[in-house]
Every structure is written in structure tokens, then in C-alpha cells.
């Protein structure tokens, strides 16, 4: 197993003030607007938010997979083991992708080539990143399929993607993503395209393998229930910004941003009596084109104050490793300096 060479206090991945914008005919979309977070070795970080909150763009930015034009990373740093991914050459970047940071997507069918056998695709991926013979790469492919729970892996490795069920295809993708012993695995809504019964198995598998291989995981999801069972820390995103960041247990024990509070309230609970209707956050996510410099959640917030409608709130510490961007936690001096 590959070991992190950056032991000590420095995080494995350190995203600082990342800004990724898209130029459209209607205006500038600030899909990711000044976000910062860190990921430690073997840690699991959840990035939560509604569609369009910027969570997938964040992770495509980390992999430098933003299509330009119309997208562009316009600011910030993405430090992986101390090196800024944004300054790497194409050759260095190829080494990082797959070898150091791997990604699995929502729908495995769009990531696997339907015309090629799984063996061909896995061997190609392994040989691209590791010095091995074809025979060794085939053996490694079979070992990975066994690891992700594919029965009769020696025969199944020669099958085509359509010969696997959706859940099995996602297992193959996880095996492929981990075949190069990446230090970071980015899982972008990895269970969205799967049946509910299979979802839990796939999440369990990611969790188990990450622990076994000491892989750090970034899990992108809109489901706070999933985060509760899997993640050490959570970033809640809204309109391209992180509005709350905390250890998972702290976030659940004391959600501080009204949006996070609403998200937690809207998760169905078996241990609490539900009197009829499930809670939902009123209104719609904002149009992120040319967003004004206010709190973008204010049209939906039942705690909004006047200041929320014209100025973005400062980020405040509300506990150890617990931060929130909301005017409710700002002091009078900060409010009056506007
Ligand atoms: Fe609500 Fe204001 Fe806090 Fe925004 S800053 S979440 S509008 S209280």
C-alpha cells in the first residue's frame, strides 16, 4: 500500500479560497466562490448541498477537469501534499489523476466503455499509472474485483460492462479507482443511479475499503443521512460557498446555519415520531448568475435580518473546528462596520 509521504500536521489536501467561474451569455456563474477546506490522511469528508450548490464543480476543479471555456479556475490554491495542483504541467497532472487522486461518478455506465471488456479497461488504467507487465496487471485487476466483492472474478473480468448489474458496475468502478492505490478517492453521488437496496451496500463498501487501504475520501452527496454514517467532517455548500463546516457529530448536535438546520430537519427519522408532513425548506435555490453580495439564503431564511439582504456574512467560529457563515453569529462591531 502507498503511504502518505506528508506525515505530520500538514493535511493531504488543502483547498484554499478556490474560485471556479463559468462565463455564460447571461452573465458570470460563480459556481465555486472562495471555498477552503482540508482533508487529512484516511479522513472522510462529506460535501453536502442541493443541486447547483457547487459541490461537483469543486471536485472537478480538484481534478482539473473543468471544461474551458466556459469554465475557469480563476483563483485559489489546491495543495496536494504541499504541491499546488493548479500549477502542475499536463504530465505531472496525469500522474496525480488516478495515481494519487481517483474519482468515481454517479453513473458507472457513462465511465465504462461499453465496447471493451472490463479486463481491457482495468489493465489499461493500471498500466497507465504503474510499472507492471500485462500479466501482472490482469492479476491485479482480478484481485481488485475480488476485493470489491465480484464473485467468480477470474471469469467475470473478461465480461463486458452490460453483463453486470448497476450495483456490480459501480463495484467495478470502485475497484478500478482504487487499483492504483490512490491516496484520495472522490466519490460524486456514487449511489444516485442505483436501486435503494444496493445503495447501502456500495456506501458500506467504500467505507470498508477506505479504512482497509487508508484512503482519504471526499463524498459528494445531497443526503445528510449518508454523511452521518460515513463522514468524519462535513462541509455544507450553498450557492457556491461553504456556509458551515464541522465535525459530523458537532454538525448534528448543533447545526448553526439555518440552511443546515433545515437540511437536518428534512431527513426522515425512524427514532422520532413524525406528525404527518416531513419538514422542507421553503423556496428555491437562487439563480447563481451575477449573484449580489448578500446572503444568498436570505429569501428562504426565517431568521433573516436587514443586513442579510445586502452583505455577505463573515465566517465565525462557533466551536472547535466548527465554522459558520451567518450574520446570527457576528458581533455588533462587525454588523455596524457595514
Ligand atoms: Fe439567515 Fe441572515 Fe444567516 Fe443568511 S446570514 S442564513 S439570511 S440569518
Amino acid at each position: 500500500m502507498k503511504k502518505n509521504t506528508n506525515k505530520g500536521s500538514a493535511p493531504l489536501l488543502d483547498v484554499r479560497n478556490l474560485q471556479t467561474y463559468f462565463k455564460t451569455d447571461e452573465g458570470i456563474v460563480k459556481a465555486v466562490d472562495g471555498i477552503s477546506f482540508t482533508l487529512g490522511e484516511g479522513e472522510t469528508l462529506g460535501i453536502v448541498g442541493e443541486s447547483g450548490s457547487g459541490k461537483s464543480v469543486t471536485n472537478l476543479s480538484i481534478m482539473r477537469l473543468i471544461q474551458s471555456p466556459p469554465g475557469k479556475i480563476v483563483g485559489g490554491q489546491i495543495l496536494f501534499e504541499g504541491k499546488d495542483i493548479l500549477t502542475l504541467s499536463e504530465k505531472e497532472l496525469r500522474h496525480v489523476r488516478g495515481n494519487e487522486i481517483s474519482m468515481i461518478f454517479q453513473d458507472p455506465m457513462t465511465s465504462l466503455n461499453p465496447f471493451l471488456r472490463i479486463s481491457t479497461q482495468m489493465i489499461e488504467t493500471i498500466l497507465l499509472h504503474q510499472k507492471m507487465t500485462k500479466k501482472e496487471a490482469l492479476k491485479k485487476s482480478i484481485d481488485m474485483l475480488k476485493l470489491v466483492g465480484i464473485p467468480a472474478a477470474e471469469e467475470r473480468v473478461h465480461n463486458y460492462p452490460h453483463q453486470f448489474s448497476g450495483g456490480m458496475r459501480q463495484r467495478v468502478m470502485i475497484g478500478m479507482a482504487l487499483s492504483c492505490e490512490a491516496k484520495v478517492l472522490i466519490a460524486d453521488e456514487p449511489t444516485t443511479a442505483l436501486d435503494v437496496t444496493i445503495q447501502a451496500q456500495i456506501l458500506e463498501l467504500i467505507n470498508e475499503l477506505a479504512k482497509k487501504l487508508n484512503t482519504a475520501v471526499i463524498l459528494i452527496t445531497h443526503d445528510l443521512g449518508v454523511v452521518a454514517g460515513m463522514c468524519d467532517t462535513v462541509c455544507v455548500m450553498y450557492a457556491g460557498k461553504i456556509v458551515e463546516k464541522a465535525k459530523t457529530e458537532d454538525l448534528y448536535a448543533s447545526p448553526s446555519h439555518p440552511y443546515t438546520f433545515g437540511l437536518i430537519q428534512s431527513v426522515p427519522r425512524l427514532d422520532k415520531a413524525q406528525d404527518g408532513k416531513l419538514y422542507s425548506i421553503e423556496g428555491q435555490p437562487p439563480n447563481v448568475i451575477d449573484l449580489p453580495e448578500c446572503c444568498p439564503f436570505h429569501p428562504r431564511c426565517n431568521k433573516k435580518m436587514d443586513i442579510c439582504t445586502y452583505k455577505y456574512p463573515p465566517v465565525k467560529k462557533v466551536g472547535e473546528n466548527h465554522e459558520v457563515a451567518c450574520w446570527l453569529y457576528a458581533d455588533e462591531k462587525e454588523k455596524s462596520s457595514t
Side-chain angles (χ1 to χ4, degrees):
M1 184 176 64
K2 216 182 283 181
K3 282 281 167 204
N4 179 16
T5 52
N6 198 36
K7 289 240 184 212
S9 56
L12 188 57
L13 186 71
D14 188 354
V15 176
R16 297 182 182 175
N17 199 24
L18 178 67
Q19 294 165 293
T20 306
Y21 294 176
F22 290 81
K23 210 171 175 182
T24 71
D25 291 343
E26 285 78 37
I28 302 287
V29 175
K30 294 181 178 176
V32 170
D33 194 16
I35 68 164
S36 302
F37 62 85
T38 58
L39 180 74
E41 185 185 357
E43 185 186 353
T44 299
L45 168 80
I47 301 185
V48 186
E50 290 165 298
S51 302
S53 59
K55 46 195 200 309
S56 291
V57 174
T58 300
N59 289 294
L60 290 173
S61 303
I62 293 171
M63 297 293 272
R64 276 201 24 211
L65 289 173
I66 296 293
Q67 199 183 345
S68 177
K72 195 171 180 196
I73 299 173
V74 297
Q77 287 181 302
I78 301 170
L79 303 173
F80 176 72
E81 295 190 320
K83 254 193 167 181
D84 191 355
I85 288 178
L86 300 182
T87 63
L88 298 183
S89 66
E90 269 307 315
K91 194 176 164 211
E92 290 169 317
L93 198 56
R94 268 201 301 279
H95 175 79
V96 169
R97 286 190 197 131
N99 226 12
E100 308 282 12
I101 306 177
S102 263
M103 195 159 181
I104 47 173
F105 295 91
Q106 290 180 11
D107 185 355
M109 209 48 190
T110 56
S111 314
L112 290 167
N113 186 331
F115 299 108
L116 297 177
R117 294 177 197 275
I118 295 297
S119 52
T120 311
Q121 301 186 53
M122 287 190 84
I123 289 170
E124 194 182 25
T125 306
I126 293 168
L127 292 183
L128 198 64
H129 297 288
Q130 292 186 357
K131 280 199 176 70
M132 273 188 189
T133 63
K134 227 172 161 183
K135 204 173 159 194
E136 285 166 338
L138 174 63
K139 184 180 176 308
K140 173 123 200 183
S141 306
I142 294 168
D143 289 345
M144 289 313 292
L145 292 188
K146 283 181 183 164
L147 191 68
V148 296
I150 304 280
E154 286 88 351
E155 291 100 64
R156 296 288 269 154
V157 75
H158 299 296
N159 286 165
Y160 289 91
H162 74 267
Q163 293 174 288
F164 289 83
S165 66
M168 285 293 170
R169 276 198 292 267
Q170 196 57 298
R171 282 175 186 265
V172 170
M173 281 310 302
I174 294 167
M176 211 186 266
L178 294 175
S179 62
C180 297
E181 297 165 16
K183 292 172 189 160
V184 178
L185 175 70
I186 299 176
D188 187 351
E189 306 254 17
T191 58
T192 305
L194 304 176
D195 291 346
V196 174
T197 48
I198 307 296
Q199 290 183 1
Q201 291 175 19
I202 294 295
L203 291 170
E204 183 64 42
L205 178 69
I206 293 174
N207 212 7
E208 195 189 299
L209 290 181
K211 284 201 172 72
K212 203 180 217 168
L213 305 173
N214 200 29
T215 311
V217 177
I218 299 179
L219 178 73
I220 306 171
T221 178
H222 58 270
D223 187 343
L224 265 176
V226 165
V227 166
M230 265 189 85
C231 300
D232 304 304
T233 41
V234 193
C235 292
V236 179
M237 285 193 77
Y238 192 80
K241 295 190 193 280
I242 292 174
V243 295
E244 187 161 2
K245 187 162 51 178
K247 292 268 168 222
T248 307
E249 60 268 29
D250 296 339
L251 191 95
Y252 279 86
S254 55
S256 301
H257 195 282
Y259 176 60
T260 314
F261 187 80
L263 283 180
I264 290 178
Q265 289 298 312
S266 47
V267 175
R269 300 270 302 257
L270 287 175
D271 58 338
K272 279 195 178 163
Q274 216 83 51
D275 50 347
K277 234 175 112 188
L278 192 63
Y279 180 87
S280 70
I281 303 170
E282 295 294 320
Q284 298 294 324
N287 181 350
V288 286
I289 296 174
D290 293 329
L291 257 184
E293 277 302 312
C294 56
C295 169
F297 189 61
H298 82 263
R300 308 170 76 184
C301 182
N302 54 14
K303 296 226 163 75
K304 83 166 169 222
M305 298 164 280
D306 196 33
I307 194 170
C308 311
T309 63
Y310 60 83
K311 191 158 170 90
Y312 194 81
V315 176
K316 301 298 291 181
K317 245 177 133 50
V318 290
E320 211 198 332
N321 302 316
H322 191 165
E323 291 177 355
V324 61
C326 173
W327 280 115
L328 290 173
Y329 306 93
D331 54 40
E332 287 312 315
K333 204 168 144 209
E334 284 168 311
K335 286 183 190 162
S336 59
S337 71
T338 59

